[in-house]
């Protein structure tokens, strides 16, 4: 049996989503900008999808901009606001130390163009500190970009509180909600932010499709220039079949989240307490309470995380050491370093991330395999001190 516990890297595509994409590929081949019936049929797919994505996050359909995923949405939010506000003399940006590279590297690129960047520290639990944000914001702050849930730890940030503080000081607020949507209920108005990033492949849509929610009335500088698609905010012929997949996946989340989240939390908690009980020297990273229900990040003392990932893979169990984009680079996780873990604890960390298809039998199997693998790696000296 193959066990997939790497949902934070990407999720399998459920059969109803595959069917919806296939039908759209076959039948909705029109260009949504064409005036004829075939084009208007494609436009109808976009309209339905825009409404479904809006419902998922408590937004208006006209506020949804379809993109090619989380990275593009983050870039559009950060660069789009920066370029729109540059001429008004606001050239300061605040991001947290645990943002995804899509935000961090975009901020750094703006830094090279003369922007001042403040990197906000986080607590040892991975939670951001409102007082630190208060002192970071100034008159020149254009944008604050703080993620809603962290991809490696699952930590949920007090975004509503942080956003209220930032907006009271005249800054706009973007939140990367890629790891929150599909795992917890997300409501843009309750969060009080201005922009919010979604990535479809984290909750069952195909890869390469996502959305940026842009609060009505907010001016954003388009980053791809060309046609007038997406109300001039994102040029290029829309990927209708992928967007149809995003619709189908969003509707499944709206229907199933309330029942799935507690079930997944129960499995995650069983996995976690099982490992802590069976494996000496195992310790959970991040905030045990303020977390999305599917994620557990655990360090295994005296074990090299990468070796454990490979050993688990040989047993048919897919997990990862951190973010999929950084793993394989041998770069220690910037998130785990930012919360102040020792280098040995960083190197020995594994992320288990569960999803709607995870079963109790799979968790039992993982609990059978992990203790034996950890002691084998320790006895071979395959770990580190
Ligand atoms: N933001 C976060 C928090 C993520 O976890 C990811 C993906 O790992 C992204 C952004 C990038 O999304 P995408 O893979 O759709 O470009």
């Amino acid at each position: 049996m193959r066990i997939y516990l790497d949902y934070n890297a990407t999720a399998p595509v459920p059969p109803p989503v595959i069917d919806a994409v296939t039908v759209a590929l076959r039948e909705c081949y029109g260009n949504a900008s064409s005036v004829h019936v075939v084009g208007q049929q494609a436009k109808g797919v976009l309209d339905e999808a825009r409404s479904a994505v809006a419902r998922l996050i408590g937004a208006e359909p006209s506020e949804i901009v379809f993109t090619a995923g989380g990275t593009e949405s983050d870039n559009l939010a950060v660069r789009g606001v920066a370029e729109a506000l540059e001429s008004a003399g606001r050239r300061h940006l605040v991001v947290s130390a645990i943002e995804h590279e899509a935000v961090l590297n975009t901020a750094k690129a703006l830094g090279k163009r003369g922007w001042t960047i403040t990197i906000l520290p986080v607590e040892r639990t991975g939670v951001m500190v409102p007082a630190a944000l208060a002192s970071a914001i100034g008159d020149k702050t254009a944008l604050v970009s703080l993620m809603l849930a962290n991809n490696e730890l699952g930590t949920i940030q007090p975004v509503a509180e942080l956003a209220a503080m930032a907006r009271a000081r005249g800054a706009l607020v973007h939140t990367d909600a890629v790891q929150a949507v599909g795992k917890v209920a997300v409501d843009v108005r309750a969060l009080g932010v201005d922009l919010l990033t979604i990535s479809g492949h984290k909750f069952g849509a195909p890869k390469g499709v996502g959305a940026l929610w842009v609060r009505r009335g907010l001016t954003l500088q388009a980053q791809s220039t060309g046609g007038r698609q997406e109300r001039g905010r994102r040029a290029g012929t829309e990927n209708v079949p992928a967007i149809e997949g995003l619709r189908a996946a969003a509707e499944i989340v709206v229907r199933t989240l309330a029942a799935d989240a507690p079930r997944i939390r129960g499995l995650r908690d069983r996995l976690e307490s099982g490992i802590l009980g069976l494996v000496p020297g195992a310790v959970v990273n991040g905030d045990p309470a303020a977390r999305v229900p599917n994620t557990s990040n655990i360090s295994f003392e005296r074990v090299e995380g990468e070796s454990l990932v490979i050993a688990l893979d040989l047993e048919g169990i897919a997990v990862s050491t951190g973010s999929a984009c950084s793993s394989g680079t041998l770069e220690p996780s910037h998130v785990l370093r930012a919360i102040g873990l020792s280098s040995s604890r960083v190197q020995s960390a594994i992320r288990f991330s569960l999803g709607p298809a995870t079963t109790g039998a799979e968790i039992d199997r993982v609990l059978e395999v992990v203790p034996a693998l950890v002691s084998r790696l320790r006895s071979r000296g395959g770990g580190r001190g």
Side-chain angles (χ1 to χ4, degrees):
M1 124 164 111
R2 182 156 288 283
I3 299 174
Y4 187 75
L5 297 181
D6 203 11
Y7 276 75
N8 288 11
T10 195
V13 183
V17 177
I18 296 175
D19 291 347
V21 173
T22 309
V23 170
L25 263 176
R26 195 165 35 232
E27 293 171 15
C28 306
Y29 52 84
N31 184 322
S33 300
S34 301
V35 292
H36 47 62
V37 168
V38 182
Q40 290 312 296
Q41 190 190 6
K43 165 102 176 18
V45 171
L46 297 189
D47 291 345
E48 289 288 322
R50 217 178 292 284
S51 299
V53 171
R55 269 196 302 279
L56 178 67
I57 56 171
E60 293 292 323
S62 62
E63 297 173 313
I64 304 295
V65 179
F66 291 123
T67 66
T71 299
E72 188 193 331
S73 295
D74 283 345
N75 271 263
L76 178 56
V78 175
R79 285 181 209 271
V81 165
E83 290 180 9
L85 292 181
E86 218 155 27
S87 56
R90 284 185 176 257
R91 290 172 69 90
H92 176 227
L93 182 67
V94 181
V95 300
S96 87
I98 59 167
E99 295 302 310
H100 188 268
E101 285 84 352
V103 167
L104 274 180
N105 289 343
T106 305
K108 285 179 190 158
L110 286 169
K112 290 203 181 111
R113 268 178 35 190
W115 277 67
T116 311
I117 313 298
T118 302
I119 309 233
L120 207 65
V122 296
E123 296 279 81
R124 202 175 163 84
T125 53
V127 178
M128 296 167 197
V129 194
L133 179 61
S135 54
I137 300 176
D139 301 345
K140 300 271 181 274
T141 310
L143 180 73
V144 171
S145 180
L146 305 172
M147 70 199 327
L148 185 50
N150 181 262
N151 41 312
E152 294 187 39
L153 299 166
T155 320
I156 297 179
Q157 303 299 334
V159 167
E161 189 186 343
L162 297 163
M165 179 183 291
R167 293 190 69 198
R169 306 281 295 276
L172 293 173
V173 180
H174 165 244
T175 190
D176 175 337
V178 165
Q179 295 290 349
V181 171
K183 296 174 183 135
V184 291
V186 173
D187 184 300
V188 292
R189 312 281 171 210
L191 289 171
V193 294
D194 299 285
L195 304 117
L196 180 139
T197 290
I198 293 176
S199 171
H201 75 96
K202 305 291 184 181
F203 59 91
K207 285 147 196 66
V209 66
L212 180 66
W213 169 76
V214 185
R215 185 173 50 73
R216 194 195 311 191
L218 190 113
T219 309
L220 196 67
Q221 179 63 51
Q223 295 302 301
S224 68
T225 42
R228 295 285 309 155
Q229 290 93 348
E230 300 299 298
R231 296 169 174 246
R233 294 173 292 191
R234 201 263 190 181
T237 302
E238 299 87 348
N239 185 349
V240 173
I243 292 171
E244 168 64 355
L246 186 63
R247 175 201 65 74
E251 287 181 351
I252 291 174
V253 169
V254 168
R255 240 188 3 257
T256 58
L257 181 66
D260 261 5
R263 190 186 66 81
I264 292 170
R265 182 189 303 278
L267 291 174
R268 190 273 314 269
D269 290 350
R270 183 145 75 78
L271 171 71
E272 196 170 273
S273 55
I275 287 177
L276 296 184
L278 293 165
V279 184
V283 48
V284 176
N285 300 316
D287 192 312
R291 258 193 306 178
V292 286
N294 79 316
T295 307
S296 179
N297 189 305
I298 302 180
S299 288
F300 294 88
E301 200 176 85
R302 291 187 297 111
V303 170
E304 178 73 61
E306 288 289 348
S307 309
L308 184 52
V309 168
I310 292 164
L312 283 165
D313 194 34
L314 292 173
E315 297 289 337
I317 300 167
V319 299
S320 84
T321 50
S323 84
C325 323
S326 329
S327 52
T329 62
L330 297 177
E331 270 282 305
S333 151
H334 73 278
V335 174
L336 300 185
R337 278 183 301 161
I339 64 170
L341 299 189
S342 65
S343 67
S344 64
R345 197 155 148 192
V346 172
Q347 297 289 351
S348 63
I350 296 288
R351 177 186 70 189
F352 298 89
S353 50
L354 289 60
T358 307
T359 65
E362 290 178 338
I363 299 302
D364 292 341
R365 172 76 186 140
V366 175
L367 287 175
E368 210 176 278
V369 168
V370 167
L373 289 184
V374 168
S375 39
R376 198 179 78 203
L377 288 170
R378 281 177 179 161
S379 67
R380 282 192 192 161
R384 49 172 63 215

